Amino acid sequence: MARFQLRDYQQEAVAATLKHFRQSNESAVIVLPTGSGKSLVIAELARLARRKILVLTHVKELVEQNHQKYQSLGLEAGVYSAGLKLKQTEHQVTFASIQSAARNLDDFNQAYSLIIIDECHRVNVADKSVNNDKSLSAQGSQEVGESANQYQQIIHRLKTVNPDVKLLGLTATPYRLGLGWIYRKHYRGFVRSEQARPFEHCIYELPLRYLIKRQYLTEPKLVDATIEHYDFSSLKENTAGEYNSTEVNALLNKHHRVTKGITEQVVELGVNRQGIMIFAATVEHAKEIYRYLPAEHSALIIGATESAERDRLISGFKQRHIKYLVNVSVLTTGFDAPHVDMIAILRPTQSVSLYQQIIGRGLRLSDHKKDCLVIDYTGNDFDLFQPEVGEKKPNNQSQPVQVMCPSCEFPNVFWGVCDDDGYLVEHYGRRCQGLVDDNGHTHQCDYRFVFKECSHCGSENDIAARTCIQCSEVLVDPDDMLKKALQLKDSKVIRCAGVSLAQAKEKGKLAITYHDEQGVQLSESFDFTKPSQVNAFNAIFAHRISANIAARLGTTKSYEVSNLEQALKLAEVLPCPDFVIAKKQKYYWRIKHRLFDYQGHYRKANALR
């Protein structure tokens, strides 16, 4: 068997792994595009290991592929996979399917030093239920139920034997629908998530453009279909980004003409193509597409296709006896046919990961292959090179914008809205994503662009927080505050639609007037001749003024007001609260609360009723 040589980036990925695990036991992820040779990185890491290694993945084809790459180094390893009819654990390195391993946890009672998970975007956040030892017995694994996370079961089992076992994941798509990024911290110095994630660190990442530019991968040629698309906009996806097959079939049954036209175009555009993969929406849809294709050169693979028949059809496709391969959700990972040079997507999805995996089937290099033609007939609106993941897009006007942090100067990328000249109007970022080095220990920058202030200690908290991160006191619910104020006769609440500044009649005082949609006003003043009043103004507004200036001007300067002249110049950047609550005094209304960054049940000013 041929001995493979690592490419430069594969060697870098191996070096990054060794460096990370020499310094830390925290879990890590390597991100390499589909077709970049993740199996070679796995093989090299396993070769360098001196203790037992377990390599996990979810399909037998990947188990076999990873095992073969390791064998190419002239080394022997075990295979643990019911699909491959092998259950070997005696070797130093074992390549296993997660399903087989999770069903036989008692076979993995030795001390492993490293767990490697291929296609690790499938791993869920640890479930507390897997920490129950009883649930981890061979019999108990069934008690956990079908919803239990099989990866977390095997991880926990190996950690009970060796608490220092290390966890490494590899994937081309480090995110999943509903969760966002699968790791928290990136080695380039930013944070992907404040919440728990399956992995802690991304230690190496290579962009798709890099591999295409250096001709390690085939360039995808994305073109718009010249005929009618399917319109799936009326359908609602589930949490996995997929659609109900009954509803999809009902829609497609109304458009047989469209399906026939699309299939005819695929055949027409594929005349000079070597291998064409067609991804259908449902089994019924796949069968309809297959009927319109040249029978002698086409094959159909669905979930119900027998294993032996599937292997026969795939072999025929790889040997180019079959040109058109139609499938439904079964050939998105673990399928390697480098000659594929045309992808037709006839299935809708909201999953960026799935979309990239589909196109990845056509990116491997092959003789006489210049590019891979990709046609999407469903209107999936993804950028293959810069997929939008993480926070959901707030509205149709939003676009990725760069916002500098006034504290650590990190250039954050948030959703935001720009005007016609390209200047930022507003952004929807909450907290700086930068990583700060504090005496050798990194942590996320504490700066918050929007926040909920604790009434007990004054600390800034996330706007969705229920308890203070500093004093652990329960934070006041803004809806409860508004509801109570609306019920009191001596309270007034306005939805603030704007704010204006002016110099008050008294010398040295700043007058701030808050306006609602109907012209009702509430006012307050700050005496800038008194240090305590200056501090009070800055305590309310300075942080938010700094955030506004940073967003609009790109500066990282933290801004505090020291005199009236400065304050009067802030009309364009003074933050406007969403609600203002005042209490009746003897002769005037005294402002008690200003609710910024409001999220709740009450309508804000200028919002649709």
Side-chain angles (χ1 to χ4, degrees):
M1 188 176 292
R3 176 71 178 263
F4 293 91
Q5 296 294 322
L6 293 185
R7 294 170 177 169
D8 54 353
Y9 64 85
Q10 293 167 336
Q11 293 173 338
E12 291 171 359
V14 170
T17 304
L18 298 178
K19 179 181 178 180
H20 173 76
F21 285 129
R22 284 171 183 152
Q23 300 172 345
S24 172
N25 277 345
E26 292 186 328
S27 56
V29 171
I30 292 173
V31 180
L32 292 172
T34 299
S36 60
K38 293 190 291 295
S39 57
L40 288 176
V41 174
I42 293 172
E44 180 66 5
L45 288 170
R47 184 187 72 83
L48 294 172
R50 296 291 176 263
R51 297 168 61 191
K52 285 185 75 68
I53 305 294
L54 179 62
V55 181
L56 295 168
T57 192
H58 68 292
V59 290
K60 69 174 184 178
E61 289 83 3
L62 281 175
V63 174
E64 191 171 36
Q65 178 181 306
N66 290 336
H67 177 244
Q68 288 175 350
K69 287 295 193 297
Y70 182 74
Q71 281 188 315
S72 74
L73 303 178
L75 302 170
E76 290 297 321
V79 173
Y80 198 99
S81 169
L84 298 174
K85 297 180 173 56
L86 290 170
K87 288 190 175 182
Q88 305 166 327
T89 59
E90 66 273 16
H91 296 80
Q92 179 189 344
V93 179
T94 300
F95 294 87
S97 73
I98 182 58
Q99 296 87 351
S100 297
R103 290 175 186 143
N104 300 275
L105 290 171
D106 285 344
D107 287 350
F108 297 87
N109 52 14
Q110 300 180 58
Y112 286 81
S113 64
L114 175 65
I115 306 168
I116 300 177
I117 301 177
D118 195 5
E119 304 293 342
C120 68
H121 55 275
R122 292 176 166 269
V123 180
N124 290 330
V125 177
D127 186 341
K128 293 181 181 179
S129 66
V130 302
N131 294 329
N132 186 334
D133 287 338
K134 180 180 178 181
S135 70
L136 294 174
S137 64
Q139 179 181 359
S141 65
Q142 298 177 358
E143 298 173 7
V144 178
E146 293 296 322
S147 63
N149 189 315
Q150 292 179 318
Y151 285 105
Q152 293 298 345
Q153 289 181 47
I154 189 69
I155 291 169
H156 181 72
R157 163 49 63 94
L158 297 188
K159 281 190 174 182
T160 60
V161 180
N162 176 22
D164 294 327
V165 63
K166 296 173 173 60
L167 177 63
L168 175 71
L170 292 94
T171 182
T173 53
Y175 27 75
R176 47 189 299 168
L177 201 71
L179 179 71
W181 300 94
I182 63 171
Y183 61 86
R184 292 190 62 245
K185 302 174 184 177
H186 195 281
Y187 68 100
R188 295 194 185 279
F190 55 86
V191 177
R192 290 295 196 190
S193 174
E194 297 180 51
Q195 307 303 318
R197 288 295 180 263
F199 297 89
E200 189 67 17
H201 300 273
C202 173
I203 58 173
Y204 187 81
E205 182 172 22
L206 200 64
L208 181 60
R209 290 189 191 277
Y210 176 93
L211 294 179
I212 293 173
K213 184 176 180 180
R214 285 159 180 77
Q215 298 182 334
Y216 288 133
L217 289 178
T218 301
E219 182 177 4
K221 184 180 178 182
L222 289 84
V223 300
D224 291 328
T226 57
I227 64 171
E228 187 176 359
H229 285 63
Y230 294 118
D231 182 5
F232 293 104
S233 60
S234 62
L235 301 179
K236 291 185 178 180
E237 73 274 10
N238 60 24
T239 55
E242 303 307 324
Y243 298 85
N244 181 280
S245 59
T246 302
E247 295 178 359
V248 173
N249 281 329
L251 186 150
L252 292 172
N253 285 336
K254 300 176 183 178
H255 301 284
H256 292 294
R257 177 187 58 78
V258 176
T259 301
K260 188 174 188 296
I262 287 173
T263 309
E264 290 173 348
Q265 186 187 52
V266 170
V267 173
E268 180 183 350
L269 294 176
V271 169
N272 296 318
R273 296 285 164 174
Q274 302 177 60
I276 301 171
M277 293 187 70
I278 302 173
F279 293 84
T282 67
V283 172
E284 184 178 328
H285 186 218
K287 291 178 178 178
E288 181 186 2
I289 295 168
Y290 178 67
R291 288 198 302 270
Y292 299 136
L293 292 168
E296 66 276 16
H297 300 300
S298 305
L300 170 64
I301 296 179
I302 59 177
T305 304
E306 293 292 337
S307 180
E309 176 67 4
R310 179 184 302 189
D311 292 344
R312 185 186 71 80
L313 294 175
I314 289 175
S315 176
F317 182 71
K318 290 182 177 181
Q319 293 173 19
R320 311 192 190 189
H321 302 315
I322 295 170
K323 182 173 182 177
Y324 305 93
L325 188 57
V326 186
N327 83 100
V328 184
S329 302
V330 291
L331 299 178
T332 54
T333 58
F335 178 79
D336 185 0
H339 76 289
V340 171
D341 56 358
M342 181 172 173
I343 302 285
I345 305 173
L346 281 72
R347 58 159 299 167
T349 183
Q350 291 296 312
S351 170
V352 180
S353 176
L354 177 60
Y355 180 78
Q356 288 186 303
Q357 294 285 358
I358 287 174
I359 295 179
R361 299 310 100 202
L363 301 188
R364 286 180 169 83
L365 299 177
S366 182
D367 293 338
H368 310 296
K369 178 179 174 182
K370 296 181 179 180
D371 57 35
C372 179
L373 182 64
V374 179
I375 310 180
D376 187 345
Y377 292 96
T378 66
N380 293 318
D381 186 21
F382 297 120
D383 184 335
L384 179 64
F385 299 100
Q386 291 183 314
E388 299 166 353
V389 296
E391 294 292 330
K392 188 175 181 181
K393 192 173 184 177
N395 50 58
N396 292 333
Q397 292 74 42
S398 297
Q399 59 183 298
V401 296
Q402 181 173 292
V403 181
M404 301 294 287
C405 174
S407 178
C408 73
E409 302 186 3
F410 179 78
N412 294 275
V413 177
F414 297 132
W415 288 114
V417 177
C418 296
D419 61 21
D420 294 338
D421 296 322
Y423 290 100
L424 183 63
V425 176
E426 62 177 331
H427 70 81
Y428 302 100
R430 293 188 182 183
R431 181 179 176 182
C432 176
Q433 299 169 337
L435 281 173
V436 178
D437 192 325
D438 185 8
N439 295 324
H441 298 283
T442 59
H443 63 85
Q444 186 174 0
C445 176
D446 293 327
Y447 191 87
R448 297 182 187 275
F449 293 91
V450 296
F451 55 89
K452 183 189 293 183
E453 188 173 351
C454 176
S455 59
H456 302 279
C457 69
S459 297
E460 297 172 0
N461 296 267
D462 185 80
I463 54 177
R466 294 180 177 273
T467 57
C468 178
I469 56 175
Q470 292 297 330
C471 67
S472 299
E473 291 286 346
V474 176
L475 297 172
V476 177
D477 188 304
D479 279 349
D480 290 343
M481 186 185 298
L482 288 170
K483 183 178 180 180
K484 183 177 180 180
L486 290 168
Q487 292 173 342
L488 297 175
K489 294 182 179 180
D490 60 347
S491 291
K492 178 185 285 189
V493 178
I494 68 168
R495 293 186 178 92
C496 194
V499 59
S500 59
L501 304 179
Q503 184 171 344
K505 294 180 180 179
E506 297 88 345
K507 186 177 179 180
K509 281 191 176 184
L510 173 71
I512 303 178
T513 303
Y514 305 99
H515 310 268
D516 81 349
E517 303 160 302
Q518 308 300 323
V520 178
Q521 300 177 355
L522 284 172
S523 299
E524 64 181 333
S525 63
F526 293 86
D527 189 345
F528 275 80
T529 65
K530 298 178 179 179
S532 61
Q533 288 277 287
V534 175
N535 292 336
F537 176 89
N538 284 321
I540 298 169
F541 297 107
H543 184 137
R544 293 185 171 91
I545 291 171
S546 298
N548 284 352
I549 292 176
R552 298 187 187 197
L553 304 181
T555 179
T556 57
K557 181 179 180 180
S558 183
Y559 197 90
E560 284 199 359
V561 178
S562 60
N563 57 63
L564 179 60
E565 289 69 26
Q566 284 181 322
L568 288 169
K569 297 177 181 179
L570 297 174
E572 294 296 322
V573 293
L574 190 74
C576 180
D578 297 307
F579 293 91
V580 178
I581 302 174
K583 188 176 180 64
K584 181 72 172 179
Q585 302 299 303
K586 189 172 183 180
Y587 299 112
Y588 67 99
W589 291 98
R590 181 183 179 187
I591 292 177
K592 299 289 291 183
H593 301 287
R594 307 156 203 84
L595 300 185
F596 295 92
D597 313 319
Y598 171 79
Q599 286 190 339
H601 300 300
Y602 290 94
R603 180 182 65 83
K604 294 193 287 188
N606 301 318
L608 293 176
R609 290 175 170 80

